[in-house]
Amino acid sequence: MIEREEMPYDVVVIGGGPAGLATAIRLKQVDPELQVCVLEKGSEIGAHILSGATIDPKALDELLPTWREDGCPLAETPVTDNWHWHLTKKGKFALPHVIQPRFMSNHGNYTGSLGNLCRWLAEQAEALEIEIFPGFPAAEILYDEAGAVIGVQTGDMGVDREGNPKGDFQPGMNLLGKYTVFCEGARGHLTKRLKSKYQLEANCEPQIYGIGIKEIWDIPADKHVPGRVIHTQGWPMSENDAWGGGFLYHQANHQVALGFVTALDYKNPYIYPFEEFQRWKQHPEIRAILEGGKRVAYGARAINEGGWQSVPQLAFPGGVLAGCSAGFVNVPRIKGTHTAMKSGMLAAEAIAAAIKAGREQDTLQEYDDAVRSSWIAKELKLVQNAEPMVAKWGGELGTILAGADMWLRTLFGFGLARPMKHHRDSEATQRADLYKPIAYPKPDGVISFDRLTSVSYSFTNHEEDQPVHLKVADMELQKASELGVFAGPSTRYCPAGVYEWLTDEVTGEPKYQINAQNCVHCKTCDIKDPNQNITWVTPEGGGGPNYPNM
């Protein structure tokens, strides 16, 4: 048995993203005497944060009303210009704003780095004497004898690839709290366990996801329009019976943030989200903006796309889910920061009231009730059929039906259909023999790039002599099914080149190679593997991407 240090707090927050930091700040606003800590697996706050991002400031206005005057970097670039393009292979046509519900407008929103917003929020949190521990991933959940969550254990450091302590071994600590708030982001590895243990998804649809792949470019000043926001749909996904869309945001300092989201419910195992993004950049309208510029950063992250019908039970003995751990992304708006922050604020208010009443480690049903009666619920119910309609009827017809459903819900309170069902993304992939491989164009090294070169722009780093944090439960199943039936989709859906099927030099048999040091923590493998045979767990503290301003 390893002897571990114990650190008691009133509240332990898992994740230093917008939801976790909003939770911590609101706790101290309500009761400055509360002892609060935030655990963050990245090397610093913001290191693992990736989003477009165009942000609705609604929750930020509630949390810190003077943020625009207080040096928040998000205030630099309000949205000034908003376009939505439907792309064909060579051209485009703009979708007029008049056909979209008013809430789809970006008027009053801001575009910038979510990572830098989190860094600024962390400064506000530290000013309130909140303890923030970057580089300390929550590896295990701690329970009492009754089965209630009492805190978490941080990961051990200094363990070799076989799991043996090295000379610099440091055991993880037990952080104990009256309540624990899980704000791990999309597909959190502890959240997965909590959903299973407490059956939190018993009365909701399964969560579904997209994979968002992003770059930041410096572009010439004469092409830069600060605050211009562009979203696209149609080509190239329209060629492969799949759906997704692109974004390009003109942010501060002559930079554009651009990326492509591929819905992970695609059927064709030969679809390659990274290459779809590279193709999209070669569209004449996108290439014209990038030519003469220089790529400076790259990254990827899974995105919740299930909407309101996929929100699970949010409270359980000793803890709650908030932010993207629960799944509050508004898919048509491509926004989730404001809803994530608001959920954290509601969690904080419920927790502070419970602790004041002398309670601890019970189920905060009042938090769940508060979310379901808040503007989070009102907003997400308006768009709850948008994603499933596009998924079912395709990009063109599905978009028309989704628009009609949103208008009806906005004007009359009902839609074209009742809340539609989802199917897990892993179940959507079909046999490879039903499809032909897709011939993607080679990168030109100017606009489009290869995957491994791209990973170097994520500044990812893992200690190589540590246990592989991507766990394959049954390697024979992986060989027989993932490779034999589905033609190895992990070699394509991973945006970091983690997975390779090689030939063993001795036996001549297929060999599954896992390049864990490349992992950017997007969680796509944990979501899309057709057999759910891969599980993502936390690597050693501080490992992973080091995004500068994503």
Side-chain angles (χ1 to χ4, degrees):
M1 296 292 293
I2 298 175
E3 186 174 333
R4 299 183 185 277
E5 181 182 354
E6 291 189 349
M7 300 178 66
Y9 291 90
D10 290 308
V11 185
V12 177
V13 179
I14 313 305
L21 292 167
T23 302
I25 290 170
R26 179 61 102 201
L27 281 164
K28 295 291 264 187
Q29 288 175 337
V30 174
D31 185 351
E33 299 304 313
L34 289 173
Q35 298 299 306
V36 181
C37 76
V38 177
L39 287 181
E40 166 55 40
K41 66 183 176 69
S43 60
E44 64 169 357
I45 294 294
H48 289 182
I49 296 294
L50 184 147
S51 180
T54 297
I55 296 173
D56 184 334
K58 186 174 184 177
L60 192 54
D61 286 338
E62 293 182 14
L63 183 67
L64 298 165
T66 61
W67 64 273
R68 293 173 183 82
E69 295 80 43
D70 292 342
C72 179
L74 187 65
E76 291 183 58
T77 316
V79 173
T80 58
D81 196 10
N82 188 31
W83 295 91
H84 191 126
W85 295 343
H86 184 96
L87 300 183
T88 61
K89 190 169 185 177
K90 297 294 183 181
K92 74 168 194 308
F93 59 86
L95 299 179
H97 297 304
V98 70
I99 68 172
Q100 301 177 43
R102 184 175 297 177
F103 64 77
M104 292 292 289
S105 169
N106 274 303
H107 177 74
N109 296 332
Y110 293 78
T111 183
S113 162
L114 183 59
N116 287 341
L117 172 60
C118 289
R119 291 180 175 96
W120 182 83
L121 287 172
E123 293 174 1
Q124 314 314 303
E126 289 174 332
L128 295 171
E129 299 184 344
I130 294 162
E131 295 184 37
I132 300 177
F133 300 116
F136 285 86
E140 301 292 340
I141 306 167
L142 302 175
Y143 302 95
D144 65 14
E145 292 181 357
V149 174
I150 59 172
V152 295
Q153 179 182 301
T154 64
D156 295 337
M157 300 181 71
V159 179
D160 69 19
R161 198 171 183 87
E162 284 71 45
N164 302 310
K166 297 188 290 189
D168 59 349
F169 175 74
Q170 290 183 316
M173 299 180 295
N174 292 339
L175 279 77
L176 307 178
K178 295 174 182 175
Y179 294 98
T180 306
V181 186
F182 293 85
C183 306
E184 299 180 280
R187 194 68 168 195
H189 81 117
L190 299 182
T191 300
K192 264 181 71 175
R193 300 178 197 176
L194 292 165
K195 286 181 174 181
S196 176
K197 179 178 177 64
Y198 297 113
Q199 298 185 331
L200 301 181
E201 292 183 310
N203 297 312
C204 70
E205 292 299 305
Q207 186 59 259
I208 57 174
Y209 301 87
I211 173 62
I213 303 176
K214 176 184 174 182
E215 294 176 347
I216 296 176
W217 285 61
D218 293 328
I219 65 169
D222 61 347
K223 294 185 177 184
H224 190 254
V225 184
R228 173 166 288 176
V229 165
I230 300 170
H231 293 110
T232 79
Q233 65 182 80
W235 189 88
M237 298 303 292
S238 56
E239 292 188 357
N240 292 319
D241 191 28
W243 69 279
F247 63 86
L248 194 152
Y249 305 150
H250 291 248
Q251 299 178 343
N253 303 316
H254 298 152
Q255 288 191 329
V256 292
L258 63 149
F260 199 85
V261 179
T262 301
L264 288 175
D265 63 351
Y266 59 80
K267 299 175 182 178
N268 184 344
Y270 291 111
I271 285 178
Y272 197 152
F274 173 85
E275 294 293 354
E276 296 292 346
F277 174 39
Q278 303 308 309
R279 283 212 298 167
W280 174 80
K281 287 190 294 176
Q282 294 286 8
H283 189 278
E285 296 289 344
I286 305 301
R287 184 181 178 101
I289 297 170
L290 300 180
E291 283 181 326
K294 178 183 179 182
R295 181 179 66 163
V296 296
Y298 169 87
R301 188 68 171 93
I303 304 168
N304 295 305
E305 292 190 339
W308 184 248
Q309 55 267 58
S310 293
V311 173
Q313 175 69 28
L314 300 172
F316 44 87
V320 299
L321 304 180
C324 284
S325 281
F328 297 119
V329 173
N330 184 321
V331 178
R333 294 187 73 197
I334 322 180
K335 289 177 178 60
T337 300
H338 64 304
T339 49
M341 291 180 67
K342 179 64 174 177
S343 69
M345 294 156 64
L346 292 172
E349 291 161 6
I351 290 169
I355 292 175
K356 186 176 182 180
R359 296 163 54 190
E360 59 183 85
Q361 283 142 13
D362 58 356
T363 299
L364 289 164
Q365 184 59 44
E366 57 268 43
Y367 161 60
D368 192 286
D369 294 341
V371 170
R372 296 179 194 280
S373 61
S374 71
W375 56 254
I376 297 174
K378 182 178 180 181
E379 177 176 328
L380 295 186
K381 286 178 181 178
L382 291 176
V383 301
Q384 62 188 324
N385 278 345
E387 190 283 341
M389 282 183 166
V390 175
K392 184 172 183 177
W393 284 294
E396 296 183 2
L397 177 58
T399 297
I400 294 170
L401 293 173
D405 189 84
M406 289 190 294
W407 267 115
L408 286 171
R409 291 178 184 276
T410 301
L411 297 175
F412 304 111
F414 61 86
L416 291 176
R418 293 179 180 179
M420 296 173 66
K421 296 184 179 299
H422 297 312
H423 302 283
R424 297 189 187 278
D425 297 313
S426 57
E427 299 168 356
T429 313
Q430 296 189 1
R431 302 191 323 261
D433 61 2
L434 300 175
Y435 298 89
K436 294 181 179 179
I438 300 170
Y440 288 101
K442 292 183 178 180
D444 61 15
V446 178
I447 301 297
S448 56
F449 306 95
D450 68 88
R451 188 167 50 174
L452 292 182
T453 299
S454 296
V455 173
S456 70
Y457 283 82
S458 70
F459 311 105
T460 293
N461 182 62
H462 293 90
E463 173 62 48
E464 289 198 34
D465 188 18
Q466 65 170 295
V468 173
H469 66 279
L470 303 153
K471 308 295 186 181
V472 179
D474 184 338
M475 196 59 78
E476 289 304 313
L477 173 63
Q478 203 70 3
K479 184 187 298 184
S481 180
E482 203 267 350
L483 177 63
V485 177
F486 299 101
S490 60
T491 64
R492 292 177 289 278
Y493 61 57
C494 174
V498 169
Y499 300 100
E500 294 182 278
W501 278 106
L502 306 175
T503 301
D504 189 289
E505 294 181 359
V506 176
T507 66
E509 292 293 312
K511 174 184 176 182
Y512 203 41
Q513 179 161 305
I514 301 175
N515 305 305
Q517 67 274 16
N518 287 4
C519 179
V520 295
H521 299 198
C522 72
K523 313 291 183 67
T524 306
C525 54
D526 197 292
I527 296 163
K528 187 59 175 172
D529 180 76
N531 301 296
Q532 290 295 273
N533 196 30
I534 301 175
T535 300
W536 188 99
V537 300
T538 53
E540 192 167 285
N546 287 280
Y547 297 135
N549 59 338
M550 296 287 262

